[in-house]
Amino acid sequence: MSNFLSTLFEYGKCVFGNQSSPSTKPPLIYQFLTGVADFAIFTGRYFMELIKPPYEFKELLKQSYRIGLQSLPLVGITGFIMGLVLTVQTRPTLAEFGAESWLPAMISVSIVREIGPVITALICAGKVGSSIGAELASMRVTEQIDAMEVSGANPFKYIIVTRVLATTLMLPILTVFNDIISMLGSLAGVNIHGDVSFSLFFAQAFAQLSFTDVFPSLIKTIFFGFSIGLIACYKGYNANKGTVGVGEAANSSVVLTSLMVFIIDMLAVQLTSLFIDT
Amino acid sequence: MEAITQHREKNKVASEAAIQITDLKKSFGSNTVLNGITITLNKEENLVVLGKSGSGKSVLIKCLVSLIKPDEGTLTVLGEDISTLHTDGLNKLRKRVGFLFQSGALYDSMTVTENLLFPLRESKDIDQSEREHLVKEALENVGLSEVEHKMPSELSGGMRKRLGLARTLILKPEIMLYDEPTTGLDPITSKEISELMLTIQKNYKTSSIIITHDMACAAITANRMVILKEGKVEATGTYKELSSSSDEWVHSFFS
């Protein structure tokens, strides 16, 4: 125990005492704790830079276009297939109980509350997370971020703040789009075996939807977007040198952001059930 | 009294020198890269730094713009001690120091014009017409024209170096730090870049530290040279003095 503490103390001295790093590799617990502290500092800096002028509106619009508009086709196609498959798979079970008329309501509640936000976030974790992670890591490796720093500009504000803010703002919009397309997919699924009109389907679907279904799920997507942007930017911005670092940054961005989506979802469900009687 | 006199002497030297590096030390793990470097860069002087690969030349100039934090030593750039500067002060100083990266470090998602305008993005007192004029002037000064709307990937190696140079010159720096400016270029383009560096010294009255392995470049640009060995200054002198050195190791750079 005393050996372990003395090792931690030695590494602590190196960080806080401005001494050279020791030659041996630090223990895993030390790497984990410094990683958490580093991420917390990164997050704190994000909020500080977010409120401090000047604001990079042009770059924010550019990133919103890349993250939001360019993700629409993928989110749309996935949403349509998801709605259709979910309907086709659920229909036989409901038919056994003679409850086929409940299909639109059931699908709409499950899509709006859970499946829509989570699937959209996972698509963005894959598409946007890997793209941001790899792009920033490449910029780090090719010294572009260093070049921004030495020119007296603020790369953190220009690169990080705009991307994190864009993912935070775009995720709720993409989720709403995904929900709508999923419902259209579900309508197509219902009409494979039956004949349900557009207006009847949506009347039944919206009859069971309430404010307490829509509002918490949209709030949840803001946190999904924030975590995807922040983690991917952190991984890319702090990438190790070399092309291996680029691959690792892209990979760990996707893995960590996907994991974070599920963790936030679990917390959101718990919190929602505390305040809203579902 | 003696201490005050020494302090004044030190300040006098610092104000006459563009850069004063004193007893600089930097290690990465157990690998000591810089082990007590002391160098002075005089105003309007081109100082070439030579040394084997891995001898800490790039680390030395990255310490000067605070991209790497030194372990020990004092770095005085344009009369300001780097270690005492906070973010705003450091950014102000960085605008007075140009840095040409070995790779060029061009922003590959931006056009040539956007690359050049990036260092000016926080200068609110410069209007659009003046920005256009500065871009044109910077490109002309490095011999580039009609490339404003091209992407960096569409340019040749020599053009990319020139563009990197133009991007630093747009802020009209007082000091230039060149990290292997001719690496990867053919001999003719290398000579053109070396001559361009001399022109910049003359036109912008810059003081420069040039890290290079290219002896032809050193011969053209150097007013004075420093050779590093095992993290320390091994030899100092003009190109002529060092090329005729009796020290076999020093002489091997010139043969």
Side-chain angles (χ1 to χ4, degrees):
Chain A
M1 186 65 185
S2 63
N3 272 351
F4 175 72
L5 287 175
S6 64
T7 314
L8 279 187
F9 183 65
E10 185 196 347
Y11 282 97
K13 274 199 305 186
C14 295
V15 173
F16 299 109
N18 196 27
Q19 292 178 15
S20 311
S21 321
S23 49
T24 52
K25 209 179 170 190
L28 276 178
I29 181 73
Y30 179 83
Q31 289 180 40
F32 174 75
L33 290 175
T34 49
V36 170
D38 203 31
F39 185 69
I41 292 167
F42 188 84
T43 310
R45 190 176 171 196
Y46 166 76
F47 285 111
M48 278 175 65
E49 299 283 1
L50 177 69
I51 54 172
K52 205 169 78 177
Y55 306 109
E56 301 280 356
F57 288 117
K58 202 176 161 192
E59 184 62 14
L60 176 65
L61 278 178
K62 188 179 161 190
Q63 292 306 326
S64 298
Y65 170 79
R66 280 181 61 193
I67 292 164
L69 203 67
Q70 291 190 342
S71 300
L72 280 181
L74 183 63
V75 169
I77 292 167
T78 317
F80 187 85
I81 294 169
M82 193 179 70
L84 189 136
V85 169
L86 193 64
T87 306
V88 171
Q89 298 271 29
T90 314
R91 194 180 163 280
T93 313
L94 288 178
E96 275 185 37
F97 298 100
E100 275 180 277
S101 60
W102 278 89
L103 200 54
M106 208 193 102
I107 297 291
S108 68
V109 168
S110 53
I111 282 174
V112 170
R113 272 195 193 176
E114 186 60 31
I115 300 171
V118 171
I119 293 289
T120 309
L122 287 177
I123 292 167
C124 287
K127 184 182 179 292
V128 178
S130 61
S131 153
I132 291 177
E135 184 190 13
L136 265 57
S138 300
M139 287 179 78
R140 174 64 76 191
V141 168
T142 55
E143 298 178 309
Q144 291 179 49
I145 294 176
D146 288 345
M148 286 180 181
E149 273 184 43
V150 298
S151 71
N154 185 347
F156 198 96
K157 183 176 270 296
Y158 181 77
I159 298 171
I160 307 298
V161 172
T162 52
R163 280 166 176 76
V164 178
L165 195 56
T167 46
T168 311
L169 296 174
M170 288 301 111
L171 233 289
I173 297 170
L174 285 171
T175 303
V176 170
F177 177 73
N178 180 69
D179 289 353
I180 294 167
I181 300 291
S182 294
M183 293 305 291
L184 291 174
S186 178
L187 174 65
V190 167
N191 279 293
I192 291 174
H193 295 286
D195 185 19
V196 180
S197 71
F198 181 88
S199 55
L200 177 65
F201 178 86
F202 277 94
Q204 287 187 336
F206 284 117
Q208 290 302 314
L209 277 179
S210 66
F211 177 77
T212 54
D213 292 316
V214 178
F215 186 69
S217 76
L218 279 183
I219 296 290
K220 187 164 71 176
T221 59
I222 294 172
F223 287 98
F224 286 164
F226 175 70
S227 67
I228 290 169
L230 197 71
I231 292 170
C233 282
Y234 175 75
K235 283 289 166 188
Y237 198 72
N238 295 299
N240 293 320
K241 299 277 178 187
T243 46
V244 176
V246 178
E248 277 176 4
N251 182 280
S252 57
S253 295
V254 176
V255 172
L256 285 176
T257 51
S258 304
L259 184 65
M260 205 60 201
V261 165
F262 288 112
I263 292 172
I264 292 172
D265 191 43
M266 185 182 70
L267 293 173
V269 168
Q270 295 298 321
L271 275 174
T272 310
S273 61
L274 276 181
F275 296 108
I276 299 164
D277 185 19
T278 53
Chain B
M1 190 65 193
E2 194 184 335
I4 294 169
T5 316
Q6 277 180 353
H7 182 71
R8 280 181 184 160
E9 282 297 312
K10 196 179 163 188
N11 278 352
K12 193 180 168 196
V13 170
S15 65
E16 283 168 2
I19 292 175
Q20 178 66 52
I21 302 167
T22 312
D23 202 23
L24 179 65
K25 291 180 183 172
K26 180 68 193 173
S27 301
F28 295 97
S30 58
N31 180 24
T32 303
V33 179
L34 302 174
N35 192 15
I37 299 265
T38 298
I39 296 173
T40 304
L41 173 70
N42 300 314
K43 286 197 169 157
E44 294 181 43
E45 177 189 41
N46 276 352
L47 176 71
V48 168
V49 178
L50 282 178
K52 281 170 66 179
S53 296
S55 61
K57 305 182 296 295
S58 296
V59 173
L60 173 73
I61 56 169
K62 283 181 179 174
C63 284
L64 288 171
V65 284
S66 210
L67 279 178
I68 294 175
K69 303 278 180 213
D71 296 335
E72 282 178 49
T74 313
L75 295 168
T76 309
V77 180
L78 295 167
E80 299 203 57
D81 184 347
I82 293 276
S83 63
T84 62
L85 295 174
H86 293 290
T87 312
D88 288 343
L90 186 62
N91 281 342
K92 273 182 191 165
L93 183 66
R94 280 170 168 171
K95 285 181 194 292
R96 298 166 70 193
V97 180
F99 196 116
L100 181 69
F101 287 84
Q102 188 179 345
S103 60
L106 301 173
Y107 312 134
D108 47 22
S109 60
M110 301 181 197
T111 63
V112 167
T113 304
E114 286 167 342
N115 261 277
L116 291 171
L117 287 175
F118 190 87
L120 302 174
R121 58 188 306 109
E122 285 172 23
S123 309
K124 299 293 176 201
D125 52 328
I126 305 174
D127 62 26
Q128 188 58 30
S129 62
E130 201 175 342
R131 280 168 199 261
E132 283 169 16
H133 170 73
L134 284 170
V135 168
K136 208 174 168 189
E137 185 190 47
L139 287 175
E140 276 171 8
N141 283 341
V142 297
L144 279 179
S145 55
E146 294 176 7
V147 294
E148 287 99 326
H149 304 294
K150 287 193 173 176
M151 298 302 284
S153 57
E154 296 174 85
L155 305 177
S156 67
M159 288 164 95
R160 289 168 69 88
K161 290 276 183 194
R162 284 171 192 270
L163 177 57
L165 209 44
R167 193 179 60 189
T168 60
L169 291 177
I170 204 157
L171 289 171
K172 301 197 178 350
E174 293 160 60
I175 293 174
M176 280 297 301
L177 304 172
Y178 298 95
D179 191 2
E180 304 197 20
T182 57
T183 298
L185 300 177
D186 63 85
I188 297 167
T189 314
S190 291
K191 194 178 173 212
E192 285 171 6
I193 295 287
S194 303
E195 284 165 354
L196 182 60
M197 286 154 65
L198 271 187
T199 312
I200 287 165
Q201 182 197 18
K202 194 177 154 195
N203 292 350
Y204 288 81
K205 302 197 184 307
T206 53
S207 320
S208 311
I209 293 182
I210 301 157
I211 307 290
T212 188
H213 289 123
D214 179 359
M215 296 315 293
C217 170
I220 293 169
T221 57
N223 297 124
R224 194 160 58 91
M225 296 175 75
V226 163
I227 303 184
L228 303 185
K229 186 183 181 185
E230 291 165 5
K232 291 187 170 178
V233 174
E234 177 72 6
T236 310
T238 61
Y239 184 89
K240 202 176 169 185
E241 286 165 358
L242 292 180
S243 61
S244 55
S245 169
S246 55
D247 186 316
E248 198 179 321
W249 190 82
V250 172
H251 191 72
S252 64
F253 280 95
F254 298 86
S255 52

